[in-house]
Amino acid sequence: MARPEQVLLLEPQHELKFRGPFSDVVTTYLKLSNPTDRNVCFKVKTTAPRRYCVRPNSGIIDAGTSINVSVMLQPFDYDPNEKSKHKFMVQSVLAPPDMTDMEGVWKEAKPDELMDSKLRCAFEMPVENEKTHDAESNKMSSGLLKSESSTLPPKSMSSTLDDGEVKKIMEECKRLQMEAQRLREENKQIREDDGMRMRKSNVMSPQHSSLGMKKDEGWSVRTMALIVLFFVVGVIVGKLVL
């Protein structure tokens, strides 16, 4: 035989939500309303009685009134991958007009007089915890970016300087690069001349040999100038880093 429809109004109707963190007791409320003209006895039961503290877990709701039931979830280790299988049941029965013993009413109630409603349990983590997690992730990302920026080439550090100073330094670097290119071309030409001189060394006169020595000296001077030029470029690049 089908049980009669629940006369009590439940709020919420289908699900009890518990909002974490679950390192402390988490309380949610179940409102039971009696819209009838008779008193109603009720009981609140759960499939996990050791995990919850329910106050009151039984009693009488007078006609046309309501009560709030506190459902307190005890602390536990929250696992977001674990689906809760906990359920609650609100059982009720109409109280007789001359009732004196509530426990006696439950014992004497027939199965077709009992009414019940079932509720699921749902666990949720607060938005604040998610924001905290995001903030920690952003902090870690910022630290990584900061460490990477310390290894960036000098060119990327020029953004910290004034535009005028950067423009002046870039023009100076361009001029030095052109000068270095010119010296490299002269050095290449000197090497080619030296090759030709070595091939003709057997037929060269002492006077021509002395001329080759002068070219060697000229090449050494240009080499020293090239070294000094690169040293100046290194100093300017060093200013960009600082």
Side-chain angles (χ1 to χ4, degrees):
M1 180 181 295
R3 292 191 176 187
E5 186 178 354
Q6 175 69 267
V7 296
L8 296 178
L9 301 178
L10 280 64
E11 184 181 348
Q13 296 181 356
H14 307 293
E15 188 176 68
L16 292 175
K17 294 183 179 181
F18 297 90
R19 195 167 183 78
F22 302 102
S23 56
D24 201 353
V25 175
V26 179
T27 303
T28 190
Y29 297 93
L30 172 63
K31 184 177 181 180
L32 303 178
S33 301
N34 178 10
T36 70
D37 56 358
R38 294 182 57 180
N39 294 346
V40 176
C41 299
F42 76 94
K43 285 184 178 181
V44 180
K45 300 180 180 180
T46 177
T47 58
R50 295 184 179 181
R51 296 285 294 275
Y52 299 90
C53 181
V54 182
R55 293 289 183 273
N57 60 0
S58 63
I60 301 174
I61 305 177
D62 295 335
T65 63
S66 63
I67 65 168
N68 287 322
V69 177
S70 299
V71 183
M72 292 166 279
L73 173 63
Q74 304 305 302
F76 73 104
D77 294 330
Y78 173 69
D79 183 1
N81 298 320
E82 180 183 0
K83 298 293 185 180
S84 175
K85 297 182 179 179
H86 302 168
K87 293 181 176 64
F88 277 80
M89 181 177 70
V90 178
Q91 195 172 41
S92 62
V93 63
L94 294 174
D98 55 349
M99 184 192 71
T100 57
D101 181 13
M102 186 176 65
E103 291 300 323
V105 172
W106 288 108
K107 292 179 181 179
E108 297 175 3
K110 299 177 181 180
D112 58 353
E113 295 177 341
L114 296 176
M115 299 166 282
D116 60 61
S117 299
K118 295 181 176 62
L119 299 96
R120 300 184 301 271
C121 295
F123 301 146
E124 297 179 351
M125 289 301 291
V127 177
E128 288 76 8
N129 282 21
E130 296 175 359
K131 291 182 178 179
T132 301
H133 177 72
D134 293 340
E136 292 176 353
S137 299
N138 293 335
K139 185 176 181 181
M140 293 178 62
S141 300
S142 299
L144 291 174
L145 290 174
K146 185 176 180 181
S147 62
E148 291 176 359
S149 64
S150 62
T151 62
L152 292 176
K155 184 177 180 180
S156 65
M157 301 297 291
S158 63
S159 59
T160 60
L161 301 175
D162 294 336
D163 294 340
E165 185 177 356
V166 172
K167 184 177 180 180
K168 184 184 299 183
I169 294 175
M170 294 302 294
E171 290 177 353
E172 182 67 16
C173 287
K174 184 176 180 181
R175 186 185 65 79
L176 292 175
Q177 288 174 356
M178 293 176 65
E179 182 68 17
Q181 179 65 24
R182 185 182 64 80
L183 291 175
R184 281 195 296 268
E185 292 176 356
E186 291 184 1
N187 190 30
K188 180 179 178 182
Q189 184 63 38
I190 291 173
R191 287 199 300 270
E192 292 177 355
D193 293 343
D194 288 344
M196 294 178 63
R197 181 177 60 80
M198 293 297 294
R199 288 192 295 270
K200 296 179 180 180
S201 60
N202 295 330
V203 297
M204 295 176 73
S205 63
Q207 181 179 0
H208 194 270
S209 298
S210 62
L211 180 61
M213 293 177 63
K214 291 181 180 180
K215 289 185 178 181
D216 290 340
E217 292 177 357
W219 179 80
S220 298
V221 171
R222 288 185 175 86
T223 301
M224 290 299 296
L226 185 62
I227 293 173
V228 172
L229 176 62
F230 282 117
F231 174 76
V232 173
V233 173
V235 171
I236 294 175
V237 173
K239 291 182 178 180
L240 289 176
V241 174
L242 296 176

